[in-house]
Amino acid sequence: MNTFLKLINRKDQNFQHWYSEVVFSAKLIEHYDISGLYILRPSAVEIWETLQAFFDSEIKKMNVENCYFPMFVLDSHLKKEEAHNSGFKQEVAWVTKSGQSDLEAHLALRPSSETIMYPYYSKWIRGHRDLPLKLNQWCNAVRWVVGDPTPFIRSREFLWQEGHGAFATEDEAHAEALEILELYRRIYEEYLAVPVIKGTKSEMETFGGAIYTNTVEAFIPNTGCGIQGATTHCLGQKFAEKFEVKFEDKKGEKAMVWQNSWGYSTRTIGAMVMVHGDDKGLVLPPKVASTQVIVIPVPYKDVDTQGIYDTCKATVNMLCEAKIRAELDSRDSYSPEKKYSEWEMKGVPLRIEIRPMDLENKQVCVVRRDNGAKIHIANADLVEEIRKFLNNIQQNMFDVAKQKRDECIQVIHTWEEFKEALNQRKMILAPWCDEKDVELDVKRKTENEMGPAKTLCSPFDQPELPEGTKCFKSGKPAKKWTYWGRSY
Amino acid sequence: MNTFLKLINRKDQNFQHWYSEVVFSAKLIEHYDISGLYILRPSAVEIWETLQAFFDSEIKKMNVENCYFPMFVLDSHLKKEEAHNSGFKQEVAWVTKSGQSDLEAHLALRPSSETIMYPYYSKWIRGHRDLPLKLNQWCNAVRWVVGDPTPFIRSREFLWQEGHGAFATEDEAHAEALEILELYRRIYEEYLAVPVIKGTKSEMETFGGAIYTNTVEAFIPNTGCGIQGATTHCLGQKFAEKFEVKFEDKKGEKAMVWQNSWGYSTRTIGAMVMVHGDDKGLVLPPKVASTQVIVIPVPYKDVDTQGIYDTCKATVNMLCEAKIRAELDSRDSYSPEKKYSEWEMKGVPLRIEIRPMDLENKQVCVVRRDNGAKIHIANADLVEEIRKFLNNIQQNMFDVAKQKRDECIQVIHTWEEFKEALNQRKMILAPWCDEKDVELDVKRKTENEMGPAKTLCSPFDQPELPEGTKCFKSGKPAKKWTYWGRSY
């Protein structure tokens, strides 16, 4: 009963196994008996619900409305936009039977809902007064990926939101794509304390059927891999043409709508675990921790055990009244040390220990999960100090993660430097000619068991590109700075 | 532009078509191009979200935790509990392919998640300290029904929550089944203003694999059909045996858990539409109306048009500040009458009209959606009066619906009376011997294009059953009072 909860794998030594072990041991994930599928346990869903509450209220302020479309789509619709179809067709799961009978037409499970929704956009949108039409749905999506599945990061079914905007003008579409991207940045940076870089995807990495894809890119120093955090796609008028989403404009002329789609998924949680977790387990940013403070009684022999328990309870009550999410661990069959290890595994940001001497001194002992710091706080200052700690931990986790990420960024100018930096697991910033063939060539030449190196994004925030700067690979004039690396 | 939005069908004359027309015209539903599937438009999802917010916070108080399990299940698991499998196997949708390839094993899409979850209950539950385990998920479910689909009421994919509790003792299971049933009653009666009867399902109508099923039953006077509103199932130890969900009890002995499952779905919305809708469209109870008050400017020639608009805006602001969900319809290309018909179709509980003479008199004109009553209110009393109206409408809608429902209830004692009452679309309350053969016999003898008559529930609240009372059909001693009728 009193064996401590400990990880076998080390984050520095065996990242992939460490990750699997953490998400399992922290009870975020349970493995399911069909490959590539995972059970999201309450600890994971609580984080998801926190992000959802934030995002949902923000998009409602933007007048986005929630809806729900069926998850089944006819082959004929799925195929209408060819670039889109190419992006998904290898990963589509097909329903072909119900009960004992074969279905007349095979039905795909949504990998994304452009082709499910837009026939109805065509029906609903008649005149300029019907625009903009901005819908979102919270749902599951299915992509039967063949490569290695990874919990949260790449699974065959996942939870996400998908937003779909239709506009009268190009400008409105561009503006929405940026506005939503900023919300995605806030999810990562303000909630998950994970630094991201905003930018544009290369032609090769653009969503099938989009004219461009904006992304927030995270980076995992331990593996040197980027993670596409969340994306907003400007679909231009490509789908509008295929699905005939037209409207009568103010002059009475027929025009085609401009469209966007955008989504973030449970992948967010995976990125958070990878960035912050350590060899003791999960480390949760206070904003997404459903338990922010765990209070643990530490009795000593029989010295006023009842007093300790009473003080623990009173402490929890006081914190809860102040809207701090505190909980008491009163299990009497577990040693305090066993409890510490369990709550550390679960990533709870602050632990309060209360001993007989604390009662005497009218204080508690507080231990931070993020850096292990231990300090005594007078009872009189408790609420205020705990609140400060939580804010401080949230900020510190972001700062530390950002510093680590920034240390990985390496500016290079030549192919030799590129290969060297890639070996050193850097997030490579390189001047590029922006030609697809070059990205293809880089991918071919860097393929290994972790996949090829590719573009992550061209950051919105472009460093100066001096006249005459050449592409690191083709030697042609460079058009922009672009981040490269391996990627999840 | 100024044609009024009107229903072609009449609720009294052609209920089924009226219903389809209302859910479509009020923009709750759009028909999808695959039979039996429907698009839930924002007006429907808003209602769903209101019910979800209430129920989710209530079950969290009961320490139920949210989780998310994959929607795919192996045939071998689905088949483990035979009664359960029999209930679903004709309606299961099967995924057999991904991309171009056949899957090794066919995967069912969840019709309900008992067989998906309980293998993991078996894994997670070891000792009595792991109990109770109370999980819930908000998700879609798929039942490829063959009969006539009806929006909300019977569709091949639907949204629901499914809760799954595991307990050390039988008593705890029974208690939870009742506690959740009470929440379902509150959803119907307090939110949707739909009266329901709490009771137990007959053996034939019990959920496959359950030892009993509790239900809240609604009734639609126009069609004389019951609607199973939501159910809580006590699964006893049946699934526990099949999936080996065992635990070490306090005495150190192996025991089997007691389990429940419970769910309510988007069907709730359909019942609400059927009960309250009228020939002008939807009628929304204020508690679930995302717009509670629509404010419409009614200019007259050019008399102070700007003053009217300004007053309308000020009125909306005042109501919104008081947390009343008010909205302004300022579209200048629509006549007031056209606006009235549109908001009536959408079921908004209160309409405020503001005319030049109202400005003079410092008043507004308020029109109730539920009973058409029209009254002038002084601006000074506005917030308070509107709040009273909304409460009154909520209560009145329930009272009216309950009176109509109660008028349908008919107590009978003989088969002749039963047939007569069934013809008159009554909700039949009959003394019954509680034998399955009798229910089977009744079903056979009453089958028509609307389906057979069957038991709806045996109400918890049993009228007195005098000694010697006989079953209306078998003539054997009656064991209980039971509601009968056709059913959705």
Side-chain angles (χ1 to χ4, degrees):
Chain A
M1 199 60 100
N2 278 318
T3 50
F4 297 170
L5 209 52
K6 274 193 175 166
L7 296 174
I8 296 163
N9 296 286
R10 293 283 155 266
K11 191 177 186 184
D12 282 346
Q13 290 163 18
N14 194 346
F15 185 84
Q16 204 182 326
H17 289 97
W18 167 85
Y19 176 72
S20 296
E21 202 186 353
V22 169
V23 293
F24 176 79
S25 303
K27 299 194 176 174
L28 293 174
I29 283 285
E30 177 70 75
H31 291 275
Y32 193 61
D33 59 6
I34 301 170
S35 167
L37 296 170
Y38 304 94
I39 297 162
L40 303 184
R41 301 189 71 173
S43 314
V45 171
E46 280 163 1
I47 298 168
W48 183 242
E49 287 177 349
T50 301
L51 302 181
Q52 186 174 22
F54 162 72
F55 189 79
D56 197 66
S57 86
E58 290 296 323
I59 60 175
K60 279 174 176 160
K61 287 182 207 160
M62 292 169 63
N63 297 316
V64 175
E65 296 182 298
N66 285 337
C67 62
Y68 187 78
F69 280 71
M71 78 173 315
F72 302 92
V73 55
L74 289 167
D75 198 17
S76 53
H77 283 178
L78 199 61
K79 276 185 182 150
K80 264 198 179 164
E81 212 298 321
E82 188 39 44
H84 183 70
N85 187 41
S86 304
F88 286 124
K89 67 182 174 191
Q90 295 306 321
E91 299 180 353
V92 167
W94 292 97
V95 175
T96 65
K97 285 175 57 183
S98 74
Q100 317 299 320
S101 320
D102 291 330
L103 293 184
E104 270 178 55
H106 292 185
L107 303 174
L109 300 181
R110 63 177 159 237
S112 184
S113 297
E114 283 78 3
T115 62
I116 293 176
M117 293 181 169
Y118 299 167
Y120 300 92
Y121 278 50
S122 165
K123 188 174 172 188
W124 296 332
I125 296 169
R126 289 278 167 258
H128 59 90
R129 283 191 190 83
D130 301 320
L131 294 173
L133 177 60
K134 305 200 276 188
L135 298 179
N136 175 68
Q137 64 183 16
W138 294 96
C139 61
N140 56 347
V142 176
R143 298 181 190 170
W144 217 258
V145 287
V146 274
D148 275 350
T150 306
F152 295 118
I153 302 295
R154 189 174 299 277
S155 62
R156 287 174 165 176
E157 182 189 0
F158 54 87
L159 299 182
W160 75 343
Q161 60 65 222
E162 49 176 326
H164 296 265
F167 304 91
T169 64
E170 183 175 357
D171 284 351
E172 287 170 279
H174 297 324
E176 189 205 46
L178 287 180
E179 203 173 344
I180 296 291
L181 196 71
E182 171 62 9
L183 294 179
Y184 291 154
R185 183 198 67 75
R186 291 180 61 192
I187 284 177
Y188 275 98
E189 299 200 333
E190 293 181 9
Y191 280 79
L192 301 172
V194 169
V196 289
I197 291 169
K198 280 184 181 178
T200 316
K201 286 287 184 183
S202 69
E203 186 189 343
M204 279 197 77
E205 293 294 320
T206 294
F207 180 71
I211 61 171
Y212 64 81
T213 290
N214 294 331
T215 181
V216 287
E217 291 283 317
F219 190 78
I220 309 303
N222 300 72
T223 55
C225 287
I227 292 188
Q228 177 179 305
T231 44
T232 64
H233 313 297
C234 181
L235 308 174
Q237 298 177 307
K238 286 191 189 185
F239 284 88
E241 264 176 49
K242 302 291 179 179
F243 289 95
E244 302 184 56
V245 192
K246 288 181 252 173
F247 69 103
E248 202 177 87
D249 66 17
K250 284 179 185 169
K251 296 174 208 147
E253 282 161 22
K254 278 278 169 204
M256 209 81 84
V257 301
W258 281 80
Q259 288 181 280
N260 288 337
S261 67
W262 31 273
Y264 80 93
S265 75
T266 32
R267 162 173 274 215
T268 42
I269 300 170
M272 177 203 73
V273 174
M274 287 184 171
V275 166
H276 299 301
D278 64 20
D279 290 345
K280 289 180 175 175
L282 195 61
V283 184
L284 286 175
K287 270 201 175 182
V288 298
S290 65
T291 304
Q292 296 175 312
V293 182
I294 184 70
V295 178
I296 297 175
V298 189
Y300 177 70
K301 292 181 180 165
D302 284 334
V303 185
D304 200 9
T305 303
Q306 190 58 45
I308 287 181
Y309 274 83
D310 291 346
T311 308
C312 283
K313 263 187 217 165
T315 304
V316 168
N317 288 344
M318 197 195 327
L319 293 173
C320 287
E321 269 168 34
K323 307 271 180 217
I324 292 164
R325 299 188 288 273
E327 206 182 310
L328 171 65
D329 186 346
S330 61
R331 295 173 295 177
D332 54 11
S333 55
Y334 287 64
S335 71
E337 292 73 19
K338 157 94 174 161
K339 291 179 183 178
Y340 302 164
S341 68
E342 210 178 285
W343 293 103
E344 280 172 348
M345 184 64 77
K346 289 185 174 173
V348 172
L350 280 177
R351 174 171 86 230
I352 291 182
E353 306 168 356
I354 302 184
R355 294 180 175 72
M357 70 161 225
D358 296 318
L359 294 197
E360 267 174 48
N361 299 337
K362 299 196 165 118
Q363 62 178 25
V364 301
C365 172
V366 178
V367 185
R368 280 172 67 150
R369 176 68 183 89
D370 63 328
N371 62 12
K374 204 164 177 168
I375 193 173
H376 286 88
I377 297 180
N379 289 344
D381 308 329
L382 192 67
V383 167
E384 196 186 340
E385 289 297 314
I386 294 289
R387 201 170 271 142
K388 271 191 214 161
F389 266 123
L390 293 172
N391 289 336
N392 188 273
I393 292 172
Q394 183 80 31
Q395 186 61 47
N396 183 57
M397 285 179 71
F398 177 77
D399 292 345
V400 168
K402 185 162 187 305
Q403 195 191 330
K404 282 189 190 162
R405 195 274 317 271
D406 288 349
E407 283 167 8
C408 290
I409 295 176
Q410 181 148 342
V411 176
I412 65 98
H413 285 86
T414 67
W415 176 237
E416 286 310 310
E417 286 173 0
F418 183 98
K419 287 187 290 183
E420 172 79 15
L422 190 66
N423 273 339
Q424 291 169 359
R425 301 180 177 176
K426 296 296 187 184
M427 190 180 194
I428 301 169
L429 185 57
W432 180 37
C433 61
D434 200 13
E435 288 183 13
K436 188 176 171 180
D437 285 348
V438 172
E439 181 162 9
L440 259 173
D441 191 32
V442 169
K443 286 178 87 163
R444 260 194 306 266
K445 287 180 172 147
T446 55
E447 181 75 47
N448 72 8
E449 76 287 354
M450 291 174 63
K454 56 185 183 180
T455 57
L456 303 174
C457 71
S458 299
F460 290 163
D461 190 7
Q462 284 278 319
E464 204 197 328
L465 188 69
E467 181 100 19
T469 306
K470 296 212 170 93
C471 169
F472 75 101
K473 185 72 178 70
S474 70
K476 294 182 189 174
K479 291 202 180 132
K480 53 163 84 159
W481 289 95
T482 299
Y483 283 104
W484 297 72
R486 300 192 199 279
S487 180
Y488 282 96
Chain B
M1 199 59 102
N2 278 319
T3 51
F4 297 170
L5 209 53
K6 275 194 173 165
L7 296 174
I8 295 163
N9 296 287
R10 294 281 155 270
K11 191 177 186 183
D12 281 346
Q13 289 163 18
N14 193 347
F15 185 84
Q16 204 182 327
H17 289 97
W18 168 85
Y19 177 73
S20 296
E21 202 186 354
V22 169
V23 294
F24 176 79
S25 303
K27 298 192 177 175
L28 293 174
I29 283 285
E30 176 71 75
H31 291 275
Y32 193 61
D33 60 6
I34 301 170
S35 167
L37 296 171
Y38 303 94
I39 297 162
L40 303 184
R41 301 189 70 174
S43 314
V45 171
E46 281 163 359
I47 298 168
W48 183 242
E49 287 176 350
T50 300
L51 302 181
Q52 186 174 21
F54 161 72
F55 188 79
D56 198 67
S57 86
E58 290 296 324
I59 60 174
K60 278 174 178 162
K61 286 182 209 161
M62 292 169 63
N63 297 319
V64 176
E65 297 182 297
N66 286 336
C67 62
Y68 187 78
F69 280 71
M71 77 173 314
F72 302 93
V73 56
L74 288 168
D75 198 18
S76 53
H77 283 176
L78 198 61
K79 276 185 184 149
K80 263 197 180 166
E81 211 299 319
E82 188 40 43
H84 184 71
N85 187 42
S86 305
F88 287 122
K89 67 182 174 190
Q90 295 307 322
E91 300 179 352
V92 167
W94 292 98
V95 176
T96 65
K97 284 174 60 181
S98 74
Q100 317 299 320
S101 319
D102 291 330
L103 293 184
E104 270 179 55
H106 292 184
L107 303 175
L109 299 181
R110 64 175 159 239
S112 183
S113 297
E114 284 78 3
T115 61
I116 293 175
M117 292 180 167
Y118 300 166
Y120 301 92
Y121 278 49
S122 165
K123 187 174 173 188
W124 295 332
I125 296 169
R126 288 277 167 260
H128 59 90
R129 283 192 190 82
D130 302 319
L131 294 173
L133 177 59
K134 305 200 275 188
L135 298 179
N136 174 68
Q137 63 183 16
W138 296 95
C139 61
N140 55 348
V142 175
R143 297 180 189 170
W144 217 257
V145 288
V146 274
D148 275 348
T150 306
F152 295 120
I153 301 295
R154 191 174 297 275
S155 62
R156 288 174 164 176
E157 181 189 2
F158 54 87
L159 299 183
W160 75 341
Q161 60 67 222
E162 49 177 324
H164 296 265
F167 304 91
T169 65
E170 182 175 356
D171 285 351
E172 288 170 277
H174 297 323
E176 189 207 44
L178 287 180
E179 203 174 345
I180 296 291
L181 197 71
E182 171 61 9
L183 294 179
Y184 291 154
R185 184 197 67 76
R186 291 180 62 192
I187 283 178
Y188 275 99
E189 300 201 333
E190 293 181 10
Y191 281 79
L192 302 172
V194 170
V196 289
I197 291 169
K198 281 184 180 179
T200 315
K201 286 287 184 183
S202 69
E203 185 188 345
M204 280 197 77
E205 294 295 318
T206 294
F207 180 71
I211 61 171
Y212 65 81
T213 290
N214 293 333
T215 181
V216 287
E217 290 284 316
F219 189 78
I220 310 301
N222 300 72
T223 56
C225 287
I227 292 187
Q228 177 179 306
T231 44
T232 64
H233 315 295
C234 181
L235 308 174
Q237 298 177 308
K238 286 190 187 185
F239 284 88
E241 263 176 49
K242 302 292 178 177
F243 290 95
E244 302 184 56
V245 192
K246 290 181 249 172
F247 69 103
E248 203 176 88
D249 67 16
K250 284 178 186 169
K251 297 173 208 146
E253 282 160 21
K254 279 278 169 205
M256 208 81 82
V257 301
W258 282 79
Q259 289 181 279
N260 287 338
S261 68
W262 31 274
Y264 80 93
S265 74
T266 32
R267 161 172 276 215
T268 42
I269 301 171
M272 177 202 73
V273 175
M274 287 185 172
V275 166
H276 299 301
D278 64 19
D279 290 345
K280 290 180 175 175
L282 196 61
V283 185
L284 287 175
K287 270 201 175 181
V288 298
S290 65
T291 303
Q292 296 174 314
V293 182
I294 185 69
V295 178
I296 297 174
V298 188
Y300 177 71
K301 291 181 180 165
D302 284 336
V303 185
D304 200 9
T305 304
Q306 189 58 45
I308 287 181
Y309 275 83
D310 291 346
T311 308
C312 284
K313 263 186 218 166
T315 303
V316 168
N317 288 343
M318 197 195 325
L319 294 172
C320 287
E321 269 167 35
K323 306 274 180 216
I324 293 165
R325 299 188 288 273
E327 206 181 310
L328 171 64
D329 186 346
S330 61
R331 293 174 296 175
D332 53 13
S333 55
Y334 286 65
S335 72
E337 292 74 18
K338 158 93 173 159
K339 290 179 183 178
Y340 300 164
S341 68
E342 210 178 287
W343 293 104
E344 280 172 349
M345 183 66 76
K346 288 186 175 172
V348 172
L350 280 178
R351 174 171 86 229
I352 292 182
E353 306 167 356
I354 302 185
R355 294 180 176 73
M357 70 161 226
D358 296 319
L359 295 199
E360 268 175 46
N361 299 338
K362 299 195 164 125
Q363 64 180 23
V364 301
C365 173
V366 178
V367 185
R368 279 173 69 149
R369 177 68 183 89
D370 64 328
N371 61 12
K374 205 164 175 168
I375 193 174
H376 286 89
I377 297 180
N379 289 345
D381 306 330
L382 191 68
V383 166
E384 196 186 339
E385 288 297 315
I386 293 289
R387 200 171 272 142
K388 271 192 213 159
F389 266 122
L390 292 173
N391 289 337
N392 189 273
I393 292 172
Q394 184 80 32
Q395 186 60 47
N396 183 58
M397 285 178 70
F398 177 77
D399 292 343
V400 169
K402 185 160 186 305
Q403 196 191 330
K404 283 189 189 164
R405 196 274 319 270
D406 287 349
E407 283 166 8
C408 291
I409 295 176
Q410 181 148 342
V411 176
I412 65 99
H413 285 86
T414 68
W415 176 235
E416 286 310 312
E417 287 172 359
F418 184 97
K419 286 188 290 183
E420 172 78 16
L422 190 65
N423 273 339
Q424 291 169 358
R425 300 180 177 173
K426 296 296 185 185
M427 189 178 194
I428 301 169
L429 185 57
W432 180 37
C433 61
D434 200 14
E435 289 184 12
K436 188 175 172 180
D437 284 347
V438 172
E439 182 164 9
L440 259 174
D441 191 31
V442 169
K443 286 179 87 164
R444 260 193 306 265
K445 287 182 172 146
T446 53
E447 180 75 49
N448 71 8
E449 75 286 353
M450 289 174 65
K454 55 185 183 182
T455 57
L456 303 175
C457 71
S458 299
F460 289 164
D461 189 8
Q462 284 277 320
E464 204 197 324
L465 189 68
E467 181 99 19
T469 306
K470 297 212 168 93
C471 170
F472 74 101
K473 186 70 179 71
S474 69
K476 295 182 189 174
K479 292 202 180 131
K480 52 162 87 159
W481 289 95
T482 299
Y483 284 103
W484 296 73
R486 302 191 197 280
S487 180
Y488 281 97

